[in-house]
Amino acid sequence: MSGIKKIGVFTSGGDSPGMNAAIRAVVRSALYYNLEVVGIKRGYEGMILGEFEDMDRKSVANIIQRGGTILRTARSADFKTKAGREQAYQQLKSRNVDALVAIGGDGTFTGAKVFGEEFDFPILGLPGTIDNDLFGTDFTIGYDTAINNVVDAVDRIRDTAESHSRLFIVEVMGRDCGLIALRSGIGVGAESIFIPETKTDMEAMMHRLEISRKDKMSKILIVAEGEGDSGGAVELAERVKQRFPQYDTRVSILGHIQRGGKPTCMDRVLASRLGVAAVENLITGRRNEMVGLLNGKIAFTSFDHAIKHNVEINKDLFKIVDILSL
Ligand code: ATP
């Protein structure tokens, strides 16, 4: 047993829907196991500045269905400095916090790893990011909601595209990671998908558009924002317009609506399971790991591995797009 008495919980980096469900799970399970729990506002920035709040069961009532994060989030340049981390450590000590649950993405876990090693401080991480770009979990908290937000939006775009026989190029989030584009693209029946991890064969894509059924009323191409080869949605639209002046080509950049709104049931359940597992395993002495879900089971991955290993793109999913966009 670890002898832990008080846990701090915080969210950091980009917000993701389901973070509130994760905070709730951490707070309620800490109380269940007779631990005290404090919420740390605005991630590492609030840790440095001592923005702490005692949490009880009521502090997390009625939040499981809310997007965003009640603890708010921030990016902290100071935490990247030794002096900033020292100040954060002193704040934690002064409030008798002896373990942390960090909810965030790869930057958050990089900070957690450095801090955990520097001050011999027990930390477990929960993967909270819409990108699904962490190694060691099949899904991150927020990814399912984000792709469902994309699917909802593109279904609407499809209605108007069909009515006017238009070709829509839809840009979705994913600077370095195309998993939002790939999965939502299949979900909306996209004709083509462009992601940063694979080189786009532009000629093959144009050829497919050329031979695609003439009676097709609408065409949807999904582009991840970080896709370099096509130059993003706007530049791709120019290339398509030049090649197919007969198409009425339009661009839609979905932007921040993708990360807002109610978390799906899948994200709520994922967040709840991971939050409980984090508290239970801090108590038994685990540290410096991300808690994830692999093949339906709770799994632990060192922060190092979670951050550095690239999540592989499933090539079969690409093939599915080709087969089904006849
Ligand atoms: P998302 O994937 O949604 O952007 P993230 O957790 O990757 O989330 P970042 O902004 O990259 O978001 O990181 C969050 C915070 O983690 C940073 O603002 C910084 O305070 C801390 N952090 C990142 N890298 C380091 C580092 N090398 N050393 C110390 N702290 C770091």
Side-chain angles (χ1 to χ4, degrees):
M1 284 295 154
S2 59
I4 287 168
K5 294 197 178 67
K6 196 181 217 178
I7 290 180
V9 59
F10 63 96
T11 51
S12 161
D15 68 310
S16 72
M19 279 183 161
N20 280 328
I23 295 166
R24 172 180 177 270
V26 171
V27 170
R28 292 255 166 107
S29 47
L31 298 173
Y32 179 88
Y33 289 109
N34 296 316
L35 303 177
E36 287 180 81
V37 55
V38 293
I40 301 166
K41 299 271 180 72
R42 302 192 308 115
Y44 293 122
E45 195 64 12
M47 196 183 292
I48 292 171
L49 298 173
E51 296 175 13
F52 295 3
E53 181 183 301
D54 292 330
M55 307 283 276
D56 59 19
R57 54 166 300 285
K58 275 199 272 177
S59 340
V60 291
N62 207 18
I63 65 166
I64 195 169
Q65 75 279 25
R66 281 168 57 190
T69 158
I70 59 161
L71 292 176
R72 305 181 58 213
T73 184
R75 304 194 198 266
S76 171
D78 285 347
F79 199 77
K80 292 188 176 173
T81 67
K82 173 99 181 152
R85 293 192 296 274
E86 176 67 39
Q87 203 175 325
Y89 178 70
Q90 293 308 333
Q91 295 282 12
L92 293 171
K93 279 286 128 195
S94 73
R95 295 292 295 258
N96 299 318
V97 176
D98 39 31
L100 288 169
V101 177
I103 308 169
D106 54 356
T108 301
F109 294 163
T110 306
K113 175 189 143 53
V114 172
F115 185 83
E117 287 173 0
E118 222 162 39
F119 298 98
D120 191 23
F121 209 91
I123 311 179
L124 287 178
L126 301 187
T129 164
I130 61 168
D131 293 333
N132 206 32
D133 58 350
L134 292 164
F135 184 83
T137 190
D138 290 334
F139 297 104
T140 56
I141 298 164
Y143 174 63
D144 187 62
T145 306
I147 56 177
N148 277 291
N149 285 343
V150 172
V151 166
D152 278 353
V154 178
D155 284 350
R156 287 159 208 250
I157 289 171
R158 180 74 85 175
D159 288 347
T160 169
E162 286 265 315
S163 306
H164 291 270
S165 302
R166 281 178 178 151
L167 184 152
F168 263 88
I169 299 175
V170 182
E171 186 174 296
V172 302
M173 281 185 164
R175 268 193 310 270
D176 308 306
C177 177
L179 290 174
I180 292 179
L182 187 55
R183 196 166 273 258
S184 64
I186 293 172
V188 299
E191 307 349 273
S192 236
I193 294 170
F194 301 81
I195 63 172
E197 293 88 341
T198 58
K199 187 152 177 58
T200 305
D201 186 342
M202 206 57 75
E203 235 351 273
M205 188 282 292
M206 294 286 188
H207 180 66
R208 271 213 312 283
L209 278 183
E210 205 145 41
I211 61 168
S212 76
R213 282 194 346 254
K214 298 284 177 287
D215 60 347
K216 233 178 187 179
M217 302 296 282
S218 65
K219 294 179 172 57
I220 304 272
L221 312 183
I222 302 283
V223 189
E225 62 183 331
E227 207 289 327
D229 298 327
S230 71
V234 174
E235 202 176 296
L236 177 61
E238 286 312 312
R239 293 161 85 162
V240 170
K241 276 180 196 168
Q242 275 176 16
R243 181 81 168 257
F244 304 104
Q246 71 274 27
Y247 289 157
D248 186 1
T249 301
R250 301 295 170 106
V251 170
S252 180
I253 297 172
L254 294 187
H256 286 80
I257 59 161
Q258 291 165 81
R259 62 192 321 141
K262 287 153 77 83
T264 59
C265 184
M266 179 165 153
D267 272 330
R268 298 180 200 192
V269 174
L270 176 67
S272 301
R273 287 186 70 183
L274 299 185
V276 172
V279 171
E280 288 181 341
N281 284 278
L282 274 175
I283 292 170
T284 59
R286 288 199 96 108
R287 51 168 65 199
N288 278 334
E289 289 172 312
M290 181 190 81
V291 190
L293 205 66
L294 287 176
N295 298 320
K297 293 206 169 66
I298 296 290
F300 297 88
T301 305
S302 71
F303 284 139
D304 254 349
H305 272 70
I307 299 159
K308 289 203 188 112
H309 278 61
N310 284 341
V311 178
E312 268 194 33
I313 290 292
N314 182 344
K315 295 206 171 61
D316 294 346
L317 294 183
F318 258 108
K319 194 168 172 212
I320 286 173
V321 177
D322 284 351
I323 293 172
L324 299 183
S325 64
L326 270 184

